[in-house]
Amino acid sequence: MKNTIADIAHKAGVAKSTVSRFLNGGSVSHATRRKIEQVIQETGYIPNSFAQSLKAKKTSMIGTIMPRLDSFSASQTVAGMDEELRKHGYQLLIINASQDLSREIEALYDLARQKISGIILFATQVTETHLAAIQEIGIPVILLGQQHNHVHSMIYNDYAAGYDMGRYVLSMGHRQIAYIGVTEKDVAVGVKRKEGFLKAVSEYDEAEAFLYESGFKMSDGVKTACSLFELNRTLPTAVVCATDNIALGVMKAAHMKGIPIPERLSVTGFGGYDVTEVIHPGLTTVKYGYFQAGHLAAQHIMKLVNDEPVDFLTVMKCEMIHRESVDKLN
Amino acid sequence: MKNTIADIAHKAGVAKSTVSRFLNGGSVSHATRRKIEQVIQETGYIPNSFAQSLKAKKTSMIGTIMPRLDSFSASQTVAGMDEELRKHGYQLLIINASQDLSREIEALYDLARQKISGIILFATQVTETHLAAIQEIGIPVILLGQQHNHVHSMIYNDYAAGYDMGRYVLSMGHRQIAYIGVTEKDVAVGVKRKEGFLKAVSEYDEAEAFLYESGFKMSDGVKTACSLFELNRTLPTAVVCATDNIALGVMKAAHMKGIPIPERLSVTGFGGYDVTEVIHPGLTTVKYGYFQAGHLAAQHIMKLVNDEPVDFLTVMKCEMIHRESVDKLN
DNA sequence: CTGAAAGCGCTTACAG
DNA sequence: CTGAAAGCGCTTACAG
């Protein structure tokens, strides 16, 4: 294992440069080719990629910084990126920032140190520090999931998704609607979806929206729903949740309290997680094409790496999915 | 960005070695320290990690080869490994083999080329080719999820899990039980769980097991369940599924056919996915500690990398979780 | 505390 | 087609 190109050259009775040429597909006579092949075979020589990269001054690696790995959106997106990148000979280096913004910054510098060719940042928030780091490292970066004027961004049309969902719930006759959102620091999920929803509500005079804020976890959804149920007043007829996870939590809370869905309470989510289809009742939600987004992000970063032009802002469509969790009122 | 240690040295008016010493925490006078700090600050110097690794002859990277990224077990395990590794200054390089065994082999060589210090192979099958590659690269490798006599292995006690599940379902009075398994090529999931289950069944004279084989996907579970339902004979009173995913598929199929769970059909899974708790009825399953397994695998590989002794075989316990999806017969 | 020099393993013009 | 030599950016004894 500890063979170097010099060892191989020595054993094959040729010069290092000849071995290198052989390795890189340069012209080598048939005889020497065979000798080198044999020696490599015998020794199990594996080139040292550091030395290679040191000369080449670049790698075929793309880095991605994820806020977490263990969520549906994250794992789908990564799988999509990976598939596309691999198809084109790039390798994906995945960094888990564990939902810690300062780790994202660290990761940007780490990746730069490793001479990664490009970075896809799966963003939840974009701070000034992020921007400074992105500028300083001087490597192509794509923001996925959030938008910033100074960085290539790919976002979902969260406003439209919120609006569509609002319109749908209203069209089903609901007028007293709770909205369980998340922190506004997350512009895409916390602000845009809510704004779209509220726009829809504002178009109906008699409609009323009650806003709540929850964490991202299923258990946060359970908690928020419980406190909502315990307020001593008439329950809204529908609760629109900013994510499928929260919606699942709400459904669980409803089950615990004996509130039938959708008969007494309609519930909706956003995301289109696989499980929303198999649970009962099926969850009405908006499907986000995470896997395809991963594909697209991979294509964009490869273009950027090769100095090809890429749209500064890409907006990805979402798709309403109607299932049984929303009741029609008359 | 294109600064090298030589540039910094030049601008700070010192030698390269001094800058290097500064960077690596060696002793440097206060005055020069300040000068160097300032220059680095101004230039935004980022060391080239290839050159560093080339000298150091090793990296603080651990590689992991996963059959897929977008599954609960995979993402949980990776998250666990990552957390523990990062805590100890290692970085995790994740490779997605996309359920293609030959890609796993490729990945082993790729990681070797990159002078990764150790590898955790999330295994589904261990072939001779795997073994040859592991031996050839000469890097510590841990098998996670499957066992092989010649490689450090960490496995779950699948036999016990299967046995416990069988015992439980039998103890609830079920005697006609369908078992939906997976390919026997996957020894842990396809063989051990089934064997454990069958052992339990063999302990009851009047009990009878009907074996089916399904793919790993939820949709495979749906299909298998549908064909099971369509066989014109009395339905078993319980169906034990080799994974939670399959169980979710079976539950969906039952809903579609109007078969109430657990009143007319009890269903169980293996895995302990998060969703099994929030669905209705809650799924009886065996919880596998994926996240903790990731932690443990990380600890083991770090020991191996540092030439510390590690048990050749580690067996991890699983935990039965009783929920509403199993009915008590009398 | 500081610097000159050799070397990590590979690649790449440049001669031959 | 083949080889000698320089260089990629860093680290590490070794002197001073």
Side-chain angles (χ1 to χ4, degrees), chain B residues 51 53 83 120 127 165-166 172 191-192 202 227 231-232 250 300 319 326:
Chain B
S53 305
E83 179 176 293
I120 301 171
T127 65
M165 181 58 84
M172 294 293 274
V191 178
K192 297 294 184 186
S202 74
S227 65
L231 292 175
N232 272 20
V250 171
H300 283 198
E319 181 197 352
V326 176

Side-chain angles (χ1 to χ4, degrees), chain B residues 8 12 32 67 117 137 163 166-167 177 181 209 242 244 287 303 315 322:
Chain B
I8 306 299
T32 49
S117 302
I137 60 175
Y163 181 72
R167 293 279 297 182
I177 309 174
D244 282 351
K287 188 177 171 62
K303 282 190 187 163
V315 179
H322 307 284

Side-chain angles (χ1 to χ4, degrees), chain A residues 59-66 77-78 81-82 85 90-96 104 107-112 114-122 137 139-144 294 297-298 300-302 305, chain B residues 91-94:
Chain A
T59 62
S60 51
M61 283 210 228
I62 299 294
T64 184
I65 303 172
M66 310 290 296
T77 308
V78 169
M81 295 191 301
D82 187 79
L85 250 19
Y90 285 87
Q91 199 184 54
L92 183 63
L93 176 57
I94 304 163
I95 296 205
N96 178 10
E104 296 186 359
L108 285 165
Y109 289 110
D110 279 351
L111 291 175
Q114 293 178 52
K115 297 293 177 257
I116 287 280
S117 302
I119 298 175
I120 300 172
L121 175 56
F122 194 105
I137 60 176
I139 293 175
V141 172
I142 286 180
L143 246 36
L144 181 54
H300 282 197
I301 197 69
M302 287 188 289
V305 164
Chain B
Q91 198 183 56
L92 183 64
L93 176 57
I94 305 162

